[in-house]
Amino acid sequence: MTELAIKGDHQRAVEALRRSYAAIPAGTPVRLAKKTSNLFRWRDPSAAPGLDVSGFDRVLSVDPDERTAQVQGMTTYEDLVDATLPHGLMPTVVPQLKTITLGGAVTGLGIESTSFRDGLPHESVLEMEVLTGDGQIVTATRDNEHADLFYGFPNSYGTLGYSLRLKIELRPVRPYVRLRHLRFGDAASLAKAMADITESRTYEGEAVDFMDGTVFSGSEQYITLGFFTDEAPYTSDYTGQEIYYRSIQRRSVDFLTIRDYIWRWDTDWFWCSGAFGVQNPLVRRVWPDKAKRSDVYRKLVAYDRRYHVVARVERWRGLRPREDVIQDIEVPVERLPEFLEFFHEKIGMSPIWLCPLRVKEQWPLYPLEQGRTYVNAGFWGTVRIPPGQIPEYHNRLIERRVAALDGHKSLYSTAFYGRDEFWRYYDGETYRRLKGAYDPDGRLLDLYDKCVRGR
């Protein structure tokens, strides 16, 4: 199909969506009907059907000379990467899981191992076409009449509108990535190394292309650096029997193809596949490789969440209930040791994923300081609730400590802030102004109601 025909299909999809949106009765909640989700705010399965956006899941074009792509909002990063790699290009920041959509990463934030240099996914956006809450289709850029929406869209989670098309920057790649896993015995030395590498973008005189980290305990933690290379003496394969995160402890140097590097975390959903027995060698051998994917594991979690299979078994065994602790937070790099000390003592989960970042511009609804180095800490699992404590005991502890350390937490999962507290952290004044301009009748959910109250 020609590019012109693809763009024609996009315009027809836009007009059909506009008509569908206008036909929804006033007062009816508006949601998206998506095939996949990476949110951990669970929707009632009996909720009203969502707005059909199945016509917005394609890469419209890739311009290798301009190093840009035109992409529909519901396109997964798996499809986007497949479209750009043949041109020797990739999105500037590719979130870790294959079924995260470009529109989802822009409105709900995303991060990965290029974020120490390239910021967050929305910082690569040059323009976005948005269906706003008042039913209009607008194109927002950094400097046009909808610049306020452009800057306010990240961290709005679909409460101001839905992205239908985005033009994004791409960056060149090379065929392979050489990895170095650097071990640190304490968080202070790790944090200093992350800060220094973020500042210089080099390590031992060599330009660094990728950087993240993994904490196994207070005395065993790693920074993983990635360096592009045209040749590799071998390449490891972590899509079958071998497990990527375990290789960090066993190898100091490794080589991956660029595609396998991009998706190194997806095969085992970081380390969360262990909850389904997939890291047991016998189970792993019979578990199909095509089912070693984050979206498969999440469907299993959704099934358990709906039918409470694990909780029922544990109650039958007389065990205390567990609390889901599924969060990503950012703290300034110099406060990272304090956060990790607290986390080891009060939460006790491991491993923990670390990812340094710097934002290149100010984004009001997620107000990180421009030019300051932060570290994202990601932790995903369950912990037993102490006797006599409330069900969200650990999550509330984390929220309070992150705020005390001048940090923020992502809103893709559960949150427990009071309304006034929430708007202090996520710029309620700017949000209310944007809501009044682009969704004056409140057809879309309010950000607090969606992310905290779970409506």
Side-chain angles (χ1 to χ4, degrees):
M1 184 178 290
T2 66
E3 184 176 325
L4 186 62
I6 292 173
K7 289 182 177 179
D9 284 350
H10 174 73
Q11 286 307 121
R12 285 188 287 274
V14 168
E15 292 306 316
L17 186 67
R18 191 206 300 265
R19 291 192 296 271
S20 297
Y21 191 83
I24 297 174
T28 302
V30 179
R31 301 180 185 274
L32 295 185
K34 296 177 63 177
K35 293 181 290 185
T36 62
S37 176
N38 288 280
L39 295 181
F40 277 81
R41 286 179 271 105
W42 302 90
R43 185 185 303 174
D44 181 350
S46 64
L51 193 66
D52 183 9
V53 289
S54 59
F56 294 90
D57 61 355
R58 299 167 69 180
V59 178
L60 300 174
S61 64
V62 176
D63 187 331
D65 296 322
E66 192 182 48
R67 293 180 181 171
T68 61
Q70 299 267 2
V71 187
Q72 292 180 309
M74 296 298 119
T75 304
T76 66
Y77 272 94
E78 182 175 25
D79 290 341
L80 178 53
V81 165
D82 283 348
T84 60
L85 282 186
H87 298 281
L89 299 167
M90 65 177 277
T92 59
V93 182
V94 181
Q96 311 88 340
L97 307 181
K98 292 178 177 179
T99 56
I100 293 175
T101 63
L102 176 60
V106 170
T107 193
L109 305 186
I111 191 170
E112 235 295 334
S113 57
T114 55
S115 291
F116 77 101
R117 181 191 57 245
D118 292 328
L120 302 176
H122 56 266
E123 301 198 270
S124 72
V125 176
L126 299 173
E127 67 178 40
M128 66 176 85
E129 181 182 70
V130 179
L131 170 65
T132 59
D134 59 3
Q136 301 301 307
I137 308 289
V138 304
T139 299
T141 69
R142 282 175 169 79
D143 55 7
N144 73 356
E145 68 272 26
H146 299 296
D148 57 345
L149 179 63
F150 182 92
Y151 282 101
F153 201 73
N155 209 46
S156 65
Y157 279 91
T159 65
L160 299 175
Y162 303 118
S163 58
L164 307 182
R165 177 187 58 81
L166 304 101
K167 182 178 181 181
I168 62 168
E169 296 176 305
L170 305 172
R171 65 184 300 246
V173 302
R174 293 160 74 182
Y176 304 102
V177 179
R178 174 171 55 88
L179 303 182
R180 291 189 62 180
H181 305 303
L182 312 177
R183 180 167 176 167
F184 294 83
D186 62 273
S189 57
L190 177 141
K192 183 179 186 308
M194 276 192 167
D196 291 346
I197 296 168
T198 300
E199 187 69 35
S200 68
R201 302 185 182 182
T202 64
Y203 181 74
E204 295 184 343
E206 186 175 8
V208 175
D209 295 297
F210 305 95
M211 175 167 54
D212 63 354
T214 311
V215 176
F216 292 94
S217 71
S219 60
E220 185 186 6
Q221 36 208 317
Y222 299 84
I223 293 176
T224 296
L225 303 179
F227 307 85
F228 275 128
T229 179
D230 291 321
E231 298 180 347
Y234 63 88
T235 55
S236 296
D237 181 0
Y238 299 109
T239 63
Q241 286 301 109
E242 299 300 316
I243 299 171
Y244 171 70
Y245 84 97
R246 289 300 181 194
S247 73
I248 295 171
Q249 297 174 292
R250 298 169 181 159
R251 317 178 74 123
S252 58
V253 177
D254 205 353
F255 291 85
L256 294 174
T257 66
I258 177 59
R259 191 180 194 283
D260 282 353
Y261 175 79
I262 288 172
W263 301 128
R264 68 202 182 283
W265 290 119
D266 189 86
T267 300
D268 284 285
W269 209 16
F270 284 82
W271 30 80
C272 298
S273 66
F276 312 102
V278 182
Q279 295 178 32
N280 180 302
L282 296 178
V283 175
R284 197 172 186 85
R285 194 167 291 118
V286 299
W287 193 287
D289 286 353
K290 65 181 181 181
K292 295 185 180 103
R293 292 173 53 99
S294 59
D295 53 335
V296 171
Y297 306 133
R298 192 191 181 283
K299 288 175 184 176
L300 294 174
V301 172
Y303 180 90
D304 181 69
R305 174 59 69 107
R306 185 171 183 179
Y307 295 105
H308 309 290
V309 177
V310 173
R312 289 176 180 177
V313 171
E314 294 209 331
R315 279 200 302 271
W316 177 78
R317 294 174 61 195
L319 299 174
R320 292 199 312 275
R322 286 183 170 273
E323 176 184 357
D324 290 339
V325 182
I326 301 170
Q327 304 287 352
D328 278 75
I329 62 93
E330 278 89 34
V331 293
V333 65
E334 67 273 14
R335 312 300 298 271
L336 178 65
E338 296 173 72
F339 177 79
L340 291 177
E341 181 181 13
F342 149 81
F343 195 86
H344 293 315
E345 179 184 353
K346 299 295 186 180
I347 313 300
M349 287 169 48
S350 65
I352 305 164
W353 184 63
L354 303 178
C355 188
L357 72 145
R358 277 192 178 187
V359 294
K360 297 184 286 188
E361 299 180 79
Q362 295 297 122
W363 305 92
L365 301 193
Y366 204 74
L368 302 178
E369 186 178 329
Q370 186 177 353
R372 188 177 189 181
T373 299
Y374 294 82
V375 178
N376 173 284
F379 35 90
W380 316 287
T382 64
V383 291
R384 296 209 182 276
I385 302 170
Q389 293 294 347
I390 58 177
E392 62 272 17
Y393 169 73
H394 297 95
N395 283 284
R396 288 182 181 272
L397 279 181
I398 291 166
E399 287 184 353
R400 290 196 294 271
R401 183 52 60 99
V402 169
L405 296 176
D406 197 22
H408 282 78
K409 68 174 245 179
S410 299
L411 298 175
Y412 71 86
S413 188
T414 51
F416 301 95
Y417 299 113
R419 188 179 293 273
D420 290 344
E421 183 183 24
F422 178 88
W423 288 123
R424 284 201 305 273
Y425 298 146
Y426 301 103
D427 196 346
E429 181 179 347
T430 294
Y431 181 79
R432 285 188 287 272
R433 185 167 63 249
L434 290 168
K435 194 72 167 171
Y438 293 100
D439 186 23
D441 296 326
R443 299 196 70 191
L444 303 176
L445 286 175
D446 170 85
L447 185 63
Y448 179 81
D449 289 338
K450 183 171 186 176
C451 295
V452 180
R453 297 181 64 195
R455 289 177 51 185

